[in-house]
Amino acid sequence: MSFDSGGGFDHHGDVDWAWSDFFGGDLGQNRRLRGLEESRAAHRADTARLRAELSKATGSLEERLAKLSAAFDAFVELSQLGPRLELFDREAEARRLARSLFAGVDRLDEVVDVPGYWLPQALLAVRALRTGGDVATPLALAVERDAASTAVFHVLTAGVFGFGESVPAGMLGEALPEFTDPLPTSVRAVWVLAADGYYGAAGRKLAEQRGATHLARRPPEEVAAAVTTWRQALKPDHEAEYKLPQGIADGPRLRTIADACTRIALLRAHVRQALAPRPDQRDELDPLVKSTLERVVETGAPREQELLGRVRELRATVGGGSPDELPEHAGDPAALLRADGVDEARPGRRALALRASSRDVLATAEQLAADAATELPEEVSVRPGVGTMVVRGGRVAEQSVERAAARGVPEVDGTRRVVGAALAGVALVALVLALVAGWGWAVPAVLAAGGAAVQLTRHAKAGRERVAALEQGRARAAREAEQAERIAAAALADLRGRQERAARDLAELRHLLGA
């Protein structure tokens, strides 16, 4: 509130002050409320983030505590199993001697028989094998105790130590039976040793027979899938890959034929190289053999197998992992044979796998040869210059030549002719009027006639220019047609040569694989 100059109250000033104070306080309060709300929202976000991080930390801590607790429990249980394990010290000693043998330390003179356990007698058979002693007696006793384990152990150790050819044929056949799907790891281990030459010619023959017999028993849909896999595996490199000759506009059919020719050539080269004569030597020992031997040995005696299995589980828990055991099965026999057939690091096994897979390889070759022998197209699109020409039967079609000749030559605009004709009509009408109504119409008649003459002259000139341009275009098109015919002829001749080579490749593959 304020006073005016006359000593009275200034009511307007009082009212203005009251309203501005009211609204100003309300707006300030709203701003403060908004600030508090934003602060609360930020606080809630920080709280949620801290809770999430705390939850992660708590979960991670709980997991670690659970693992530590499980490892401690496993350690305690292992300690409790110690007295029980001591009951099988002689069995454990036999396994230690076997591990020493695998490591290259021969302590087989320390082997002591354990009643009912096959491993000591199997070790004595290996000792006799290496020293030239009586193998049959300890081997027969080991077979009596566990025929399957003894067969795998003796066959593998005999092969590893260079006595593979002395393995009885019956025992080798027992350790390398007919394939089943999936293939047991132990059978795979014996097969790779046989394929790599550790059992001589007889072992290689048995390995090839087992693979071929299994592949021959597959249903047609599996054979078709195998052929597709072989085709996809034949990938030409950049240099061998077919490229359309320069000037060929579009050739999917040409590519299909050429691709089949290229792939059958790759297959023939691969098989020829794999089956080329080579010194009769063994491939490097496959790590799978040692792993399989260790697994057979670590199985233990029948009465301790459950205990040993539990010990392995507990040791894995203490170590923070899972039992490191060899898989029971190696995989699909057909897939394994295909992988062996392209394994350049093991040439002996590769050659044997290819012979065992000869049906699949030949089926692939015959399918490729059929694709390669596809009839060449009657029409080939060629781009010798700017446009495209169709070559049919070795000759460029007339329509293509005409289109090429007219390319870039504009049509004659008919407007001038129409205008010229119209003006000529006007000149004629004006001339008639000049004769009838007076010579005043002579001027329009002359002007119209002149305009008609100009338009018609220009139209005729444009026509002559188009005819000349077409003549030049035909000459150019004739040259392009000759070039197109040469390009098409060269491309088709190249493909015919490839088709002939594909037929020879198929014949050679049949010869190489004994078909």
Side-chain angles (χ1 to χ4, degrees):
M1 183 179 294
S2 60
F3 293 95
D4 61 6
S5 58
F9 291 106
D10 184 359
H11 297 287
H12 295 288
D14 184 47
V15 173
D16 289 343
W17 173 85
W19 279 105
S20 64
D21 181 66
F22 176 78
F23 282 112
D26 187 48
L27 291 173
Q29 185 178 21
N30 288 340
R31 283 195 296 270
R32 288 193 295 274
L33 288 174
R34 283 196 301 271
L36 288 173
E37 185 62 31
E38 292 174 357
S39 177
R40 287 180 61 190
H43 178 69
R44 285 197 297 269
D46 291 340
T47 303
R49 185 175 65 256
L50 289 173
R51 285 178 178 173
E53 293 178 357
L54 181 60
S55 176
K56 288 182 181 179
T58 304
S60 177
L61 182 61
E62 290 176 353
E63 291 176 2
R64 293 181 181 179
L65 288 174
K67 289 180 179 179
L68 287 174
S69 177
F72 179 76
D73 293 342
F75 181 79
V76 172
E77 187 176 349
L78 273 174
S79 302
Q80 296 172 347
L81 291 177
R84 292 182 60 188
L85 289 171
E86 292 177 359
L87 299 175
F88 304 101
D89 278 349
R90 291 189 298 171
E91 288 86 346
E93 178 63 19
R95 289 191 290 276
R96 280 193 290 271
L97 294 176
R99 286 192 290 269
S100 297
L101 179 64
F102 301 153
V105 180
D106 188 348
R107 295 170 50 198
L108 297 181
D109 55 343
E110 303 176 21
V111 174
V112 177
D113 188 33
V114 179
Y117 191 22
W118 65 272
L119 182 58
Q121 292 298 322
L123 289 173
L124 291 174
V126 173
R127 178 188 176 190
L129 191 65
R130 301 185 70 180
T131 59
D134 178 20
V135 178
T137 301
L139 187 61
L141 185 54
V143 169
E144 182 180 335
R145 293 174 178 178
D146 189 338
S149 298
T150 300
V152 173
F153 180 84
H154 185 74
V155 168
L156 290 179
T157 51
V160 169
F161 291 110
F163 299 96
E165 296 189 37
S166 68
V167 174
M171 180 169 285
L172 180 60
E174 182 181 348
L176 184 55
E178 298 285 351
F179 285 178
T180 56
D181 187 8
L183 187 68
T185 302
S186 60
V187 177
R188 171 67 178 174
V190 176
W191 187 89
V192 297
L193 268 190
D196 292 346
Y198 286 80
Y199 303 109
R204 281 197 172 106
K205 182 178 180 181
L206 179 61
E208 181 179 340
Q209 178 186 347
R210 292 292 192 249
T213 301
H214 174 77
L215 294 180
R217 293 174 178 171
R218 291 169 304 159
E221 57 272 16
E222 291 188 14
V223 176
V227 169
T228 301
T229 303
W230 272 103
R231 289 190 62 147
Q232 293 173 348
L234 298 168
K235 296 180 179 178
D237 57 24
H238 180 71
E239 292 184 0
E241 185 178 6
Y242 178 76
K243 302 172 184 63
L244 283 176
Q246 186 176 3
I248 298 295
D250 181 26
R253 191 168 170 184
L254 304 183
R255 289 182 186 276
T256 300
I257 296 172
D259 180 73
C261 295
T262 302
R263 289 178 188 268
I264 194 172
L266 289 174
L267 182 59
R268 185 262 307 153
H270 175 73
V271 174
R272 177 195 286 177
Q273 180 188 17
L275 301 185
R278 54 186 294 271
D280 189 13
Q281 59 187 22
R282 300 178 300 183
D283 290 339
E284 183 181 354
L285 186 66
D286 196 308
L288 176 66
V289 176
K290 183 181 178 182
S291 301
T292 304
L293 277 170
E294 292 173 349
R295 176 181 178 177
V296 173
V297 168
E298 297 302 327
T299 302
R303 59 178 185 163
E304 62 171 340
Q305 287 178 357
E306 183 178 352
L307 178 61
L308 291 177
R310 181 57 181 164
V311 169
R312 285 192 291 270
E313 292 177 0
L314 293 173
R315 286 176 177 169
T317 303
V318 172
S322 57
D324 186 15
E325 295 184 354
L326 190 67
E328 183 178 356
H329 295 101
D332 174 23
L336 292 170
L337 283 170
R338 281 196 300 273
D340 293 331
V342 295
D343 187 358
E344 297 183 358
R346 300 182 182 276
R349 189 190 305 179
R350 178 180 62 171
L352 187 143
L354 281 174
R355 286 193 295 268
S357 307
S358 60
R359 293 192 179 189
D360 289 356
V361 176
L362 285 174
T364 304
E366 289 169 356
Q367 189 180 96
L368 289 170
D371 291 346
T374 302
E375 186 177 358
L376 296 176
E378 295 182 359
E379 294 184 359
V380 179
S381 297
V382 183
R383 187 178 293 111
V386 178
T388 301
M389 290 185 171
V390 177
V391 180
R392 183 184 298 109
R395 303 290 296 175
V396 174
E398 287 296 328
Q399 296 87 341
S400 296
V401 176
E402 290 299 324
R403 284 196 300 270
R407 190 184 309 119
V409 179
E411 293 288 341
V412 176
D413 189 1
T415 304
R416 294 182 183 276
R417 184 176 60 182
V418 173
V419 172
L423 289 175
V426 170
L428 182 60
V429 171
L431 179 60
V432 172
L433 290 175
L435 294 174
V436 175
W439 290 105
W441 287 95
V443 174
V446 171
L447 293 176
V454 170
Q455 293 298 324
L456 293 175
T457 300
R458 290 180 177 178
H459 176 74
K461 181 181 178 182
R464 290 192 299 274
E465 290 175 350
R466 173 174 168 76
V467 170
L470 284 175
E471 289 298 327
Q472 295 177 356
R474 288 191 182 93
R476 184 192 69 249
R479 293 191 298 270
E480 291 182 355
E482 292 178 0
Q483 184 181 359
E485 290 168 359
R486 287 195 299 270
I487 293 174
L492 295 178
D494 174 66
L495 283 177
R496 291 190 189 95
R498 290 172 181 265
Q499 288 178 322
E500 293 173 0
R501 289 193 295 272
R504 292 196 297 270
D505 291 338
L506 177 61
E508 183 176 350
L509 282 167
R510 286 171 174 166
H511 173 72
L512 289 170
L513 296 171

